[in-house]
Amino acid sequence: MRCPTLLALLAGVMLYLVMGALIFQTMEGPEERKAYGNLLNVTQIFLQSHDCVNTQNLSNLIKRVAEAVETGLDVKSNSTNFTSRWDLASGFFFCGTIITTIGFGNLSPKTGLGRLFCVCYALVGIPMFGFLLAGVGDHMGTMLRKAVGNMETLFLKRQVSPTYVRVMSAVLSILIGCLIFLAVPTLVFCKLEEWSLLEALYFVVITLTTVGFGDFVPGANGKNGDLFKPLVWFWIVFGLAYFASILTMIGNWLRVLSKKTRAEMEELRAHATDWTQNIQNMSKDFQIPNPLDLNDPFLLQRRRWKRSVRRRVRRGALGHRDRLGPIGQNGHLPNRWLAHTCSMTRLEVRPLDRGEGLGPGLRLLADLHQRSEGRSLGRTVARSLSMPAAKSAMELDYDSDPLRMTSERSGSGSVYEYGSLSESPDSDSRSVVSCYDSNASGVCQPGLERPLARFDPGGSLCTEQEERQGGSMQVFLGIDSRFPVDLQQLPKPIPMFPLPLPMPATVQPPSSSSSPPSPDCKMLDFFGENLAFIDESSDTLSERNQPVEGDVPASHKPSGRSARRQAPPRSPVRERRTDNDMQPPSNPPTPPPI
Amino acid sequence: MSSGYKSWVLLTGFILFYITYLMLGALVFSTIERPVEDMLKTDIKALKEEFLNQSCVNATSLDTFLKRVLEANTYGISVLPNSSARSSWDLASSLFFANTLVTTVGYGHTTPLSDSGKAFSICYALVGVPFTMLVLTACVQRLMHLVTYGPISACRRRLGLDPRTATAMHFAVLLLLVVIGFFVVPAVVFSQIEDSWTFLDAFYFCFISLCTIGLGDFVPGEQPGQQYRAIYKISVMVYLFLGLMMMYLVLRAFHRMADLHGLTALFQLPHCDEDSDDREPIVKAGPEDQNENDLVASAKPLGPASKSSYNTIQR
């Protein structure tokens, strides 16, 4: 808050106080004088009618009695049997007034020990009551908001302006609260305590604002039964909570009205994006036509963009979308890939031309070298994995990635399987990945002979992926038999492993015993890259039937930093082929290095 | 819906615990105070009888008389000889009364007698209490930068502590300073100025006033023959206002600390909303919010208002 505003507020309060003091003095002074005069008269009459009493004795008596009354003693009653004012109900009420900070004062501890205990009691009780009030106020505020929301909808239906509606609903809610917590108790107290209406209202206001003078205290005449005081206390709690929630609500409205609206709109948009994304995922998994297919070019564009985003997430470029599959769910994987991408792009590799007959490892390196940051290595891994399968010359329509340096075609049979594996939420890309754990020396050798069963992790690189191995892998081959899988080709990359790559170990493997960290992570990343490549191919598969929007040259992929609301909806189109027939990917993955 | 269910369960648990706490307090107070009350009652009885015995007054007329006197006494009017001079509604006392009304302390040693006074009190309180809370919260907001965010970030920078430790340490130091500066020292001062107050009485008074309970059994400046009453009362007013601000500050710091340590989430209470509040308060925030950015990152996600006691509006 700016200094002048604060000073102005302070000055305002001071002025308010002075004004109040003046008015009170004007109002109360004469009254006080009158009462004093009356009392003097009474005293004089008493003294005159009773000659044996002298002023001194009387003063002493009065002083002692007044002190006693101040302690809370009731000297007016003449009864000889002693009814304490500290019975349980009164004590409960007193503690209630202490904790709510009302503090009537008609009853207060007189002993030193009692006062000390009062202090400690209040120290604990007031914060506790604060919590209680917060909780009750929260619930009441929610109910209030719902009621207000209902009212607002009612009003909005009649084409009233929103601000007006808001104000009206605020006023209405305040009125309802006043009715329940002010008007009704006033009438009740007026009736039960035999106060005047003004006195009852005065008491209600003074109590609910926690001022609590104590000149009027309910249950003072003791004829309303023992349940009266606890009931009063409950009323106090709910009334306090209600007014606290009202004030909070109004404060929130006044302060953050526009900001909240903006935030809510953002949330709404985010939810809509999530929802459409989920729909697309589902449609892909179950090969159902996209229910959002509207032939609307904008929507198609958007969908494609989202798909590419999803793909990027799978590859770990955007690490935050954890609902997009096991790769994304595991926060470690994308980060590792990302980190590794950074590391790998630092490699110095001579650029390779397309179609050179180089080992896949080198090809991979060249690929990475060209890649921008944020492009995960999953693609490389995916490519490496399906490279041997490519030799079987499948006809798949892979998207052209202009950034890819290699132009080998790879079959997509196995690739496709990987793709569907990675897409189904239950599928365990982690377990697939885990096959590449551990030693570089032919870790996949046993696994690849029986591609399903042997994919167990070796000396685990990333322990978090060790769950759900094996079992889900059984589904591997059975998903789609459209493309023959030549998994026997898979072992081929292994001899090409010995490609020493001076990769800095940027990722710490949790418990890799036998192999140095970096190769394992490399393998992991490469595998992930394969998977991503598979994703792309499967995407293009399903996109076969979509109208072509033209090949947008995929440029620099936006880095993972930017959120889902990235600008380019143009990028998804890059996965599309200009021709409708399926061709093997121009840049098949290379086998993972050692 | 399980979180909603859980919050209802928590709330019910809280209420039950609270009721138990109240019963416990009632029992303890009862045990402590009853014997003293017994004794006092016996004393007064004896006094009355002694008075009656040695005079020609009969019991009924004495009772009537006493009733009148005591009624007037509750309104602050006394017929004792040395208290006849002053009024309880001169300007300083009225100011003091208005202050107790507006800060919700409400001692009750002087209360409006007339009907118009009562009606005016109602309106005055309804407007003044939120207004005062607004001012107090605004001051506290400003103070928080100075007292909390600044030292905590400086602490973290110099000592390299994580936010939780730094906040806890800072809170402990702040609490100690407030207790010494606003409880112990004023208690000493009050016990010196007021004749009949012991140190414990004065400490009790400070605590009861600063928590805005305001029982009214101890009110400064009500002694007959008090010198410089006007200045004394006004200085007590200033002390009350400053003390209230410090209490709110401590409460806020505590809430922030509880937030950081996850206690508010544990009890499913509204989070400390101060980070957004302090930057978008009722009026525009200043440039000094930059030093709390490091704290913001460690704060929990913001939620609805925090402790919504009546005394907090902006939270």
Side-chain angles (χ1 to χ4, degrees), chain A residues 1 16 25 28 32 36 52 57 82 84 86 101-102 110-111 115 121 129 131 210 233 244 248 255, chain B residues 18 21 30 37-38 54 56 84 87-89 104 113 124 142 201 212-213 280 283 305 308 314:
Chain A
M1 182 184 273
Y16 192 69
Q25 185 188 26
E28 295 294 322
E32 190 192 15
Y36 181 64
C52 49
N57 283 352
F82 174 62
S84 170
W86 283 104
T101 77
I102 296 178
K110 292 303 160 194
T111 60
R115 285 178 182 146
Y121 190 79
F129 183 74
F131 283 144
T210 79
W233 176 79
T248 319
R255 200 175 34 235
Chain B
Y18 186 63
Y21 190 69
S30 204
E37 194 191 15
D38 266 347
Q54 70 180 35
C56 47
S84 55
S87 158
S88 8
W89 288 103
T104 79
L113 303 166
Y124 194 75
R142 198 121 160 117
D201 291 341
T212 77
I213 297 176
E280 323 216 9
V283 286
S308 58
Q314 297 305 329

CSV table of all heavy atoms in Angstrom, one decimal, chain A residues 1 16 25 28 32 36 52 57 82 84 86 101-102 110-111 115 121 129 131 210 233 244 248 255, chain B residues 18 21 30 37-38 54 56 84 87-89 104 113 124 142 201 212-213 280 283 305 308 314:
chain,number,residue,atom,x,y,z
A,1,MET,N,0.8,-1.2,0.0
A,1,MET,CA,0.0,0.0,0.0
A,1,MET,C,0.9,1.2,0.0
A,1,MET,O,1.9,1.3,0.7
A,1,MET,CB,-0.9,0.0,1.2
A,1,MET,CG,-1.8,1.1,1.3
A,1,MET,SD,-2.7,1.2,2.8
A,1,MET,CE,-4.1,0.2,2.3
A,16,TYR,N,-12.2,9.6,12.9
A,16,TYR,CA,-13.4,8.8,13.2
A,16,TYR,C,-13.5,8.7,14.7
A,16,TYR,O,-14.6,8.8,15.3
A,16,TYR,CB,-13.4,7.5,12.5
A,16,TYR,CG,-14.6,6.7,12.6
A,16,TYR,CD1,-15.7,7.1,11.9
A,16,TYR,CD2,-14.7,5.5,13.3
A,16,TYR,CE1,-16.9,6.3,11.9
A,16,TYR,CE2,-15.9,4.8,13.4
A,16,TYR,CZ,-17.0,5.2,12.6
A,16,TYR,OH,-18.1,4.5,12.7
A,25,GLN,N,-19.8,12.0,24.1
A,25,GLN,CA,-19.8,12.9,25.2
A,25,GLN,C,-21.1,13.7,25.2
A,25,GLN,O,-21.7,14.0,26.2
A,25,GLN,CB,-18.6,13.8,25.1
A,25,GLN,CG,-18.5,14.8,26.3
A,25,GLN,CD,-17.4,15.8,26.0
A,25,GLN,OE1,-17.1,16.1,24.9
A,25,GLN,NE2,-16.8,16.3,27.1
A,28,GLU,N,-24.0,11.2,26.2
A,28,GLU,CA,-23.9,10.5,27.5
A,28,GLU,C,-23.7,11.4,28.6
A,28,GLU,O,-24.1,11.1,29.8
A,28,GLU,CB,-22.8,9.4,27.5
A,28,GLU,CG,-23.0,8.3,26.5
A,28,GLU,CD,-24.2,7.5,26.8
A,28,GLU,OE1,-24.5,7.3,28.0
A,28,GLU,OE2,-25.0,7.1,25.9
A,32,GLU,N,-25.4,10.9,32.2
A,32,GLU,CA,-24.6,10.5,33.4
A,32,GLU,C,-24.8,11.5,34.6
A,32,GLU,O,-24.9,11.1,35.7
A,32,GLU,CB,-23.1,10.6,32.9
A,32,GLU,CG,-22.2,10.0,33.9
A,32,GLU,CD,-20.7,10.4,33.6
A,32,GLU,OE1,-20.6,11.3,32.7
A,32,GLU,OE2,-19.8,9.8,34.1
A,36,TYR,N,-26.2,10.5,38.2
A,36,TYR,CA,-25.4,10.9,39.4
A,36,TYR,C,-26.2,11.6,40.4
A,36,TYR,O,-26.2,11.4,41.6
A,36,TYR,CB,-24.2,11.7,39.0
A,36,TYR,CG,-23.3,12.1,40.1
A,36,TYR,CD1,-22.6,11.1,40.8
A,36,TYR,CD2,-23.1,13.4,40.4
A,36,TYR,CE1,-21.8,11.5,41.9
A,36,TYR,CE2,-22.3,13.8,41.4
A,36,TYR,CZ,-21.6,12.8,42.2
A,36,TYR,OH,-20.8,13.2,43.2
A,52,CYS,N,-28.5,6.8,62.4
A,52,CYS,CA,-27.4,6.2,63.1
A,52,CYS,C,-26.3,5.9,62.1
A,52,CYS,O,-25.2,5.4,62.4
A,52,CYS,CB,-27.8,5.0,63.8
A,52,CYS,SG,-28.9,3.9,62.8
A,57,ASN,N,-19.3,5.2,57.4
A,57,ASN,CA,-19.7,3.8,57.4
A,57,ASN,C,-20.3,3.4,56.1
A,57,ASN,O,-20.1,2.3,55.6
A,57,ASN,CB,-20.6,3.5,58.6
A,57,ASN,CG,-19.9,3.5,59.9
A,57,ASN,OD1,-18.7,3.5,59.9
A,57,ASN,ND2,-20.7,3.4,61.0
A,82,PHE,N,-25.8,-20.5,49.0
A,82,PHE,CA,-24.9,-20.0,48.1
A,82,PHE,C,-24.9,-20.6,46.8
A,82,PHE,O,-24.8,-21.8,46.6
A,82,PHE,CB,-23.4,-20.1,48.7
A,82,PHE,CG,-22.4,-19.7,47.8
A,82,PHE,CD1,-22.3,-18.4,47.4
A,82,PHE,CD2,-21.4,-20.6,47.4
A,82,PHE,CE1,-21.3,-18.0,46.6
A,82,PHE,CE2,-20.4,-20.2,46.5
A,82,PHE,CZ,-20.3,-18.9,46.1
A,84,SER,N,-23.2,-20.5,43.4
A,84,SER,CA,-22.0,-19.9,42.8
A,84,SER,C,-22.3,-19.4,41.4
A,84,SER,O,-23.1,-20.0,40.7
A,84,SER,CB,-20.8,-20.9,42.8
A,84,SER,OG,-19.8,-20.4,42.0
A,86,TRP,N,-19.9,-19.5,39.3
A,86,TRP,CA,-18.9,-20.3,38.5
A,86,TRP,C,-19.4,-21.7,38.3
A,86,TRP,O,-18.6,-22.6,38.4
A,86,TRP,CB,-17.6,-20.3,39.2
A,86,TRP,CG,-16.8,-19.0,39.0
A,86,TRP,CD1,-16.6,-18.0,40.0
A,86,TRP,CD2,-16.1,-18.6,37.9
A,86,TRP,NE1,-15.9,-17.0,39.4
A,86,TRP,CE2,-15.5,-17.3,38.1
A,86,TRP,CE3,-15.9,-19.1,36.6
A,86,TRP,CZ2,-14.8,-16.6,37.2
A,86,TRP,CZ3,-15.2,-18.4,35.7
A,86,TRP,CH2,-14.6,-17.2,36.0
A,101,THR,N,-12.7,-13.8,22.1
A,101,THR,CA,-12.2,-12.5,22.4
A,101,THR,C,-13.3,-11.5,22.6
A,101,THR,O,-13.1,-10.3,22.5
A,101,THR,CB,-11.3,-12.0,21.3
A,101,THR,OG1,-12.0,-11.5,20.2
A,101,THR,CG2,-10.3,-13.0,20.9
A,102,ILE,N,-14.5,-12.0,22.9
A,102,ILE,CA,-15.6,-11.0,23.2
A,102,ILE,C,-15.3,-10.4,24.5
A,102,ILE,O,-15.2,-9.2,24.7
A,102,ILE,CB,-17.0,-11.7,23.1
A,102,ILE,CG1,-17.3,-12.2,21.7
A,102,ILE,CG2,-18.1,-10.8,23.6
A,102,ILE,CD1,-18.6,-12.9,21.6
A,110,LYS,N,-10.6,-13.8,39.7
A,110,LYS,CA,-10.1,-12.9,40.7
A,110,LYS,C,-8.8,-13.3,41.3
A,110,LYS,O,-8.1,-12.5,41.9
A,110,LYS,CB,-11.1,-12.7,41.8
A,110,LYS,CG,-12.4,-12.0,41.3
A,110,LYS,CD,-12.0,-10.6,40.7
A,110,LYS,CE,-13.1,-10.1,39.8
A,110,LYS,NZ,-12.8,-9.0,39.0
A,111,THR,N,-8.6,-14.6,41.3
A,111,THR,CA,-7.3,-15.1,42.0
A,111,THR,C,-6.2,-14.9,41.0
A,111,THR,O,-6.4,-14.9,39.8
A,111,THR,CB,-7.5,-16.5,42.4
A,111,THR,OG1,-7.7,-17.3,41.2
A,111,THR,CG2,-8.6,-16.7,43.3
A,115,ARG,N,-6.1,-15.9,37.0
A,115,ARG,CA,-5.7,-15.0,36.0
A,115,ARG,C,-4.6,-15.6,35.1
A,115,ARG,O,-4.6,-15.5,33.9
A,115,ARG,CB,-5.3,-13.7,36.5
A,115,ARG,CG,-6.4,-12.9,37.0
A,115,ARG,CD,-6.0,-11.6,37.7
A,115,ARG,NE,-7.2,-10.9,38.2
A,115,ARG,CZ,-7.2,-10.1,39.2
A,115,ARG,NH1,-6.1,-10.0,39.9
A,115,ARG,NH2,-8.3,-9.5,39.6
A,121,TYR,N,-4.8,-20.1,28.9
A,121,TYR,CA,-6.0,-20.7,28.3
A,121,TYR,C,-6.2,-19.9,27.0
A,121,TYR,O,-6.5,-20.5,25.9
A,121,TYR,CB,-7.1,-20.6,29.2
A,121,TYR,CG,-8.4,-21.4,28.8
A,121,TYR,CD1,-8.5,-22.7,28.9
A,121,TYR,CD2,-9.4,-20.7,28.2
A,121,TYR,CE1,-9.6,-23.4,28.5
A,121,TYR,CE2,-10.6,-21.3,27.8
A,121,TYR,CZ,-10.6,-22.7,27.9
A,121,TYR,OH,-11.8,-23.4,27.5
A,129,PHE,N,-9.6,-21.3,18.2
A,129,PHE,CA,-10.9,-20.7,17.7
A,129,PHE,C,-10.8,-20.1,16.4
A,129,PHE,O,-11.7,-20.1,15.5
A,129,PHE,CB,-11.5,-19.7,18.7
A,129,PHE,CG,-12.8,-19.2,18.3
A,129,PHE,CD1,-13.9,-20.0,18.5
A,129,PHE,CD2,-13.0,-18.0,17.8
A,129,PHE,CE1,-15.2,-19.6,18.1
A,129,PHE,CE2,-14.2,-17.5,17.4
A,129,PHE,CZ,-15.3,-18.3,17.6
A,131,PHE,N,-8.8,-21.2,14.0
A,131,PHE,CA,-8.9,-22.3,13.1
A,131,PHE,C,-10.4,-22.7,12.9
A,131,PHE,O,-10.8,-22.9,11.7
A,131,PHE,CB,-8.1,-23.5,13.6
A,131,PHE,CG,-6.7,-23.4,13.4
A,131,PHE,CD1,-5.8,-23.8,14.4
A,131,PHE,CD2,-6.1,-22.8,12.3
A,131,PHE,CE1,-4.4,-23.7,14.2
A,131,PHE,CE2,-4.8,-22.6,12.1
A,131,PHE,CZ,-3.9,-23.1,13.1
A,210,THR,N,-17.6,-8.8,18.5
A,210,THR,CA,-16.7,-9.2,19.6
A,210,THR,C,-16.2,-8.0,20.5
A,210,THR,O,-15.2,-8.2,21.2
A,210,THR,CB,-15.4,-9.9,19.0
A,210,THR,OG1,-14.5,-9.0,18.5
A,210,THR,CG2,-15.8,-10.9,18.0
A,233,TRP,N,-23.9,-19.5,22.8
A,233,TRP,CA,-22.5,-19.6,22.3
A,233,TRP,C,-22.5,-20.1,20.9
A,233,TRP,O,-21.7,-19.7,20.1
A,233,TRP,CB,-21.7,-20.6,23.3
A,233,TRP,CG,-20.4,-20.8,22.8
A,233,TRP,CD1,-19.3,-20.0,22.9
A,233,TRP,CD2,-19.9,-21.9,22.0
A,233,TRP,NE1,-18.2,-20.5,22.2
A,233,TRP,CE2,-18.6,-21.7,21.7
A,233,TRP,CE3,-20.5,-23.1,21.6
A,233,TRP,CZ2,-17.8,-22.7,21.0
A,233,TRP,CZ3,-19.8,-24.0,20.9
A,233,TRP,CH2,-18.4,-23.8,20.6
A,244,ALA,N,-17.6,-13.2,9.2
A,244,ALA,CA,-16.3,-13.2,8.7
A,244,ALA,C,-16.2,-13.6,7.2
A,244,ALA,O,-15.5,-13.1,6.4
A,244,ALA,CB,-15.4,-14.2,9.5
A,248,THR,N,-14.9,-11.5,4.1
A,248,THR,CA,-13.9,-12.1,3.2
A,248,THR,C,-14.3,-12.1,1.8
A,248,THR,O,-13.6,-11.7,0.9
A,248,THR,CB,-13.5,-13.5,3.7
A,248,THR,OG1,-13.5,-13.6,5.1
A,248,THR,CG2,-12.2,-13.9,3.1
A,255,ARG,N,-11.2,-7.0,-4.6
A,255,ARG,CA,-9.8,-6.9,-4.9
A,255,ARG,C,-9.4,-7.6,-6.2
A,255,ARG,O,-8.6,-7.1,-7.0
A,255,ARG,CB,-8.9,-7.5,-3.7
A,255,ARG,CG,-7.5,-7.0,-3.8
A,255,ARG,CD,-6.8,-7.5,-2.6
A,255,ARG,NE,-7.3,-8.8,-2.2
A,255,ARG,CZ,-7.7,-9.1,-0.9
A,255,ARG,NH1,-7.7,-8.1,0.0
A,255,ARG,NH2,-8.2,-10.2,-0.6
B,18,TYR,N,-13.0,-28.5,20.3
B,18,TYR,CA,-13.2,-27.2,20.9
B,18,TYR,C,-14.2,-27.2,22.0
B,18,TYR,O,-13.9,-26.6,23.1
B,18,TYR,CB,-13.8,-26.3,19.7
B,18,TYR,CG,-13.9,-24.9,20.1
B,18,TYR,CD1,-12.8,-24.1,20.4
B,18,TYR,CD2,-15.2,-24.3,20.1
B,18,TYR,CE1,-13.0,-22.8,20.7
B,18,TYR,CE2,-15.3,-23.0,20.4
B,18,TYR,CZ,-14.2,-22.2,20.7
B,18,TYR,OH,-14.4,-20.9,21.0
B,21,TYR,N,-12.4,-28.5,24.9
B,21,TYR,CA,-11.5,-27.5,25.5
B,21,TYR,C,-12.3,-26.6,26.4
B,21,TYR,O,-11.8,-26.2,27.4
B,21,TYR,CB,-10.9,-26.8,24.3
B,21,TYR,CG,-9.7,-25.9,24.7
B,21,TYR,CD1,-8.6,-26.4,25.2
B,21,TYR,CD2,-9.9,-24.5,24.6
B,21,TYR,CE1,-7.5,-25.6,25.6
B,21,TYR,CE2,-8.8,-23.7,25.0
B,21,TYR,CZ,-7.7,-24.2,25.5
B,21,TYR,OH,-6.6,-23.4,25.8
B,30,SER,N,-13.9,-23.1,37.4
B,30,SER,CA,-14.8,-23.4,38.5
B,30,SER,C,-14.0,-23.8,39.7
B,30,SER,O,-14.3,-23.3,40.8
B,30,SER,CB,-15.7,-24.5,38.0
B,30,SER,OG,-16.9,-24.5,38.7
B,37,GLU,N,-14.7,-17.1,45.7
B,37,GLU,CA,-16.1,-16.5,45.6
B,37,GLU,C,-16.8,-16.7,46.9
B,37,GLU,O,-17.5,-15.8,47.5
B,37,GLU,CB,-16.8,-17.0,44.4
B,37,GLU,CG,-18.0,-16.2,44.0
B,37,GLU,CD,-18.9,-17.0,43.0
B,37,GLU,OE1,-18.6,-18.2,42.9
B,37,GLU,OE2,-19.7,-16.4,42.4
B,38,ASP,N,-16.7,-18.0,47.3
B,38,ASP,CA,-17.4,-18.4,48.6
B,38,ASP,C,-16.9,-17.4,49.7
B,38,ASP,O,-17.8,-16.9,50.5
B,38,ASP,CB,-16.9,-19.8,49.0
B,38,ASP,CG,-17.9,-20.8,48.5
B,38,ASP,OD1,-19.0,-20.4,48.1
B,38,ASP,OD2,-17.6,-22.0,48.5
B,54,GLN,N,-25.2,-2.3,63.8
B,54,GLN,CA,-24.8,-1.1,64.5
B,54,GLN,C,-25.6,0.1,64.1
B,54,GLN,O,-25.3,1.2,64.5
B,54,GLN,CB,-23.3,-0.9,64.3
B,54,GLN,CG,-23.0,-0.5,62.9
B,54,GLN,CD,-21.5,-0.2,62.7
B,54,GLN,OE1,-20.7,-0.9,63.3
B,54,GLN,NE2,-21.2,0.7,61.9
B,56,CYS,N,-29.5,1.8,62.6
B,56,CYS,CA,-31.0,1.6,62.7
B,56,CYS,C,-31.6,1.3,61.4
B,56,CYS,O,-32.8,1.3,61.2
B,56,CYS,CB,-31.6,2.9,63.2
B,56,CYS,SG,-30.9,4.3,62.4
B,84,SER,N,-16.2,11.8,43.1
B,84,SER,CA,-17.4,12.6,42.6
B,84,SER,C,-17.0,13.6,41.5
B,84,SER,O,-17.8,14.1,40.8
B,84,SER,CB,-18.1,13.3,43.7
B,84,SER,OG,-17.1,14.1,44.4
B,87,SER,N,-16.0,13.0,35.5
B,87,SER,CA,-17.1,12.3,34.7
B,87,SER,C,-16.4,11.2,33.9
B,87,SER,O,-15.2,11.3,33.6
B,87,SER,CB,-17.7,13.3,33.8
B,87,SER,OG,-18.3,12.7,32.7
B,88,SER,N,-17.1,10.3,33.6
B,88,SER,CA,-16.5,9.2,32.7
B,88,SER,C,-16.8,9.5,31.2
B,88,SER,O,-16.5,8.7,30.4
B,88,SER,CB,-17.0,7.8,33.0
B,88,SER,OG,-18.0,7.9,33.9
B,89,TRP,N,-17.4,10.7,31.0
B,89,TRP,CA,-17.6,11.0,29.6
B,89,TRP,C,-17.0,12.3,29.1
B,89,TRP,O,-17.5,12.9,28.2
B,89,TRP,CB,-19.1,11.0,29.3
B,89,TRP,CG,-19.7,9.6,29.3
B,89,TRP,CD1,-20.4,9.1,30.4
B,89,TRP,CD2,-19.6,8.6,28.4
B,89,TRP,NE1,-20.8,7.8,30.1
B,89,TRP,CE2,-20.3,7.4,28.8
B,89,TRP,CE3,-19.0,8.5,27.1
B,89,TRP,CZ2,-20.4,6.3,28.1
B,89,TRP,CZ3,-19.1,7.3,26.4
B,89,TRP,CH2,-19.8,6.2,26.9
B,104,THR,N,-12.7,-3.4,19.2
B,104,THR,CA,-13.5,-4.5,19.7
B,104,THR,C,-12.9,-5.0,21.0
B,104,THR,O,-13.2,-6.1,21.4
B,104,THR,CB,-13.5,-5.7,18.7
B,104,THR,OG1,-12.3,-6.4,18.7
B,104,THR,CG2,-13.8,-5.3,17.3
B,113,LEU,N,-25.5,4.8,28.4
B,113,LEU,CA,-26.6,4.7,29.3
B,113,LEU,C,-27.9,5.0,28.6
B,113,LEU,O,-28.9,4.3,28.8
B,113,LEU,CB,-26.5,5.7,30.5
B,113,LEU,CG,-25.3,5.5,31.3
B,113,LEU,CD1,-25.1,6.7,32.2
B,113,LEU,CD2,-25.4,4.3,32.2
B,124,TYR,N,-22.1,3.1,15.0
B,124,TYR,CA,-20.7,3.4,15.1
B,124,TYR,C,-19.8,2.1,15.0
B,124,TYR,O,-18.8,2.1,14.3
B,124,TYR,CB,-20.4,4.1,16.4
B,124,TYR,CG,-19.1,4.8,16.5
B,124,TYR,CD1,-18.8,6.0,15.8
B,124,TYR,CD2,-18.0,4.3,17.3
B,124,TYR,CE1,-17.6,6.6,15.9
B,124,TYR,CE2,-16.8,4.9,17.3
B,124,TYR,CZ,-16.6,6.1,16.7
B,124,TYR,OH,-15.4,6.7,16.8
B,142,ARG,N,2.1,-3.5,5.3
B,142,ARG,CA,3.3,-2.7,5.1
B,142,ARG,C,4.4,-3.1,6.0
B,142,ARG,O,5.6,-3.2,5.6
B,142,ARG,CB,2.9,-1.2,5.4
B,142,ARG,CG,3.9,-0.3,4.8
B,142,ARG,CD,3.3,0.6,3.8
B,142,ARG,NE,4.2,1.7,3.7
B,142,ARG,CZ,4.8,2.0,2.6
B,142,ARG,NH1,4.5,1.3,1.5
B,142,ARG,NH2,5.7,3.0,2.5
B,201,ASP,N,-1.0,-8.6,37.6
B,201,ASP,CA,-2.2,-7.9,37.2
B,201,ASP,C,-2.0,-7.1,35.9
B,201,ASP,O,-2.8,-7.2,35.0
B,201,ASP,CB,-2.7,-7.0,38.3
B,201,ASP,CG,-3.2,-7.8,39.5
B,201,ASP,OD1,-3.5,-9.0,39.4
B,201,ASP,OD2,-3.3,-7.2,40.6
B,212,THR,N,-7.8,-8.4,22.5
B,212,THR,CA,-9.2,-7.7,22.3
B,212,THR,C,-10.3,-8.4,23.1
B,212,THR,O,-11.4,-8.3,22.8
B,212,THR,CB,-9.6,-7.6,20.8
B,212,THR,OG1,-10.0,-8.9,20.4
B,212,THR,CG2,-8.4,-7.2,20.0
B,213,ILE,N,-9.9,-9.2,24.1
B,213,ILE,CA,-10.9,-9.8,24.9
B,213,ILE,C,-11.6,-8.7,25.8
B,213,ILE,O,-12.8,-8.5,25.7
B,213,ILE,CB,-10.3,-10.9,25.8
B,213,ILE,CG1,-9.8,-12.0,25.0
B,213,ILE,CG2,-11.4,-11.4,26.8
B,213,ILE,CD1,-9.1,-13.1,25.8
B,280,GLU,N,-1.5,-7.4,-4.4
B,280,GLU,CA,-2.7,-6.7,-4.9
B,280,GLU,C,-3.6,-6.4,-3.8
B,280,GLU,O,-4.7,-6.9,-3.7
B,280,GLU,CB,-3.4,-7.6,-5.9
B,280,GLU,CG,-2.5,-8.4,-6.7
B,280,GLU,CD,-3.1,-8.6,-8.1
B,280,GLU,OE1,-4.1,-7.9,-8.5
B,280,GLU,OE2,-2.5,-9.4,-8.9
B,283,VAL,N,-5.1,-1.3,-2.2
B,283,VAL,CA,-4.6,-0.3,-3.0
B,283,VAL,C,-3.3,-0.9,-3.6
B,283,VAL,O,-2.8,-1.9,-3.2
B,283,VAL,CB,-4.2,1.0,-2.2
B,283,VAL,CG1,-5.5,1.7,-1.9
B,283,VAL,CG2,-3.5,0.6,-0.9
B,305,ALA,N,-9.4,-17.2,1.6
B,305,ALA,CA,-8.9,-16.4,2.7
B,305,ALA,C,-8.4,-17.3,3.8
B,305,ALA,O,-8.9,-18.4,4.0
B,305,ALA,CB,-10.0,-15.5,3.3
B,308,SER,N,-10.2,-16.7,9.0
B,308,SER,CA,-11.2,-15.7,8.7
B,308,SER,C,-11.9,-15.4,10.1
B,308,SER,O,-13.0,-15.5,10.2
B,308,SER,CB,-12.2,-16.3,7.8
B,308,SER,OG,-12.8,-17.4,8.3
B,314,GLN,N,-8.8,-8.6,5.2
B,314,GLN,CA,-8.2,-8.7,3.9
B,314,GLN,C,-7.6,-10.1,3.7
B,314,GLN,O,-7.1,-10.3,2.6
B,314,GLN,CB,-7.1,-7.6,3.8
B,314,GLN,CG,-7.6,-6.2,3.9
B,314,GLN,CD,-8.7,-6.0,2.8
B,314,GLN,OE1,-8.6,-6.6,1.8
B,314,GLN,NE2,-9.6,-5.1,3.1
